[in-house]
Amino acid sequence: MDKIANAIITLKNGGVAKKGTVLLPYTNFMKDIMKTLLDAGYISAYEKKTRKKGGDVLEVTLAYDDRGNHKIHDVRRISKLSRRLYAGVKDIVTIKEGYGRVILSTPKGVMTGDQARAEHVGGEILFEIW
């Protein structure tokens, strides 16, 4: 079970359904991914919620533009459980001619491709989002 793929598809499908918030299982790594997406403008907010049953969850508030369109048009999982894909700093590409972002897991934490190039680090390419 790929938790990252489930999370990004949940974000995309929640926006297609025009939901205000979605719930994701809480992990520190998932919190780091949501922080990166918040900084990139793809979500509005996230908050850790404690439930009586089932453990902690992240309540993610989805972001919409002025016309009510969801900011996440599509996502694509790159590095999978069966095949990990890594990129050096010179191998990080732009997505959709600069309109999309690539999200990486680096030694300095989860960050976008632009941030990774600025920090001069490479890492595992988690997914593309636009």
Side-chain angles (χ1 to χ4, degrees), residues 86-93 102-125:
Y86 297 91
V89 68
K90 294 179 182 176
D91 301 326
I92 300 171
V93 297
V102 61
I103 308 297
L104 295 103
S105 175
T106 69
K108 294 186 177 183
V110 178
M111 57 182 66
T112 64
D114 296 334
Q115 292 169 331
R117 271 191 233 102
E119 294 282 332
H120 202 69
V121 294
E124 181 182 355
I125 302 174

Side-chain angles (χ1 to χ4, degrees), residues 3 5 12 18 67-68 70 80 85 90 92 109 111 129:
K3 293 180 181 183
K12 178 188 168 196
K18 302 289 185 196
R67 291 184 275 166
H70 186 47
K80 301 177 179 160
L85 186 63
K90 294 179 182 176
I92 300 171
M111 57 182 66
I129 187 167

Side-chain angles (χ1 to χ4, degrees), residues 10 21-25 47 49 51 57-60:
T10 300
T21 61
V22 294
L23 297 177
L24 303 173
E47 184 179 0
K49 298 278 186 170
R51 295 191 300 182
V57 293
L58 276 173
E59 183 179 49
V60 180

Side-chain angles (χ1 to χ4, degrees), residues 8 74-78 93-95 101-103 125-130:
I8 61 176
D74 206 358
V75 293
R76 186 171 69 157
R77 181 79 158 111
I78 302 296
V93 297
T94 58
I95 306 301
R101 301 275 191 282
V102 61
I103 308 297
I125 302 174
L126 299 176
F127 59 94
E128 296 174 347
I129 187 167
W130 62 93

Side-chain angles (χ1 to χ4, degrees), residues 35-55:
K35 181 183 180 315
T36 303
L37 291 178
L38 176 67
D39 293 342
Y42 289 105
I43 62 173
S44 296
Y46 67 93
E47 184 179 0
K48 179 181 176 182
K49 298 278 186 170
T50 302
R51 295 191 300 182
K52 292 181 181 178
K53 294 182 182 178

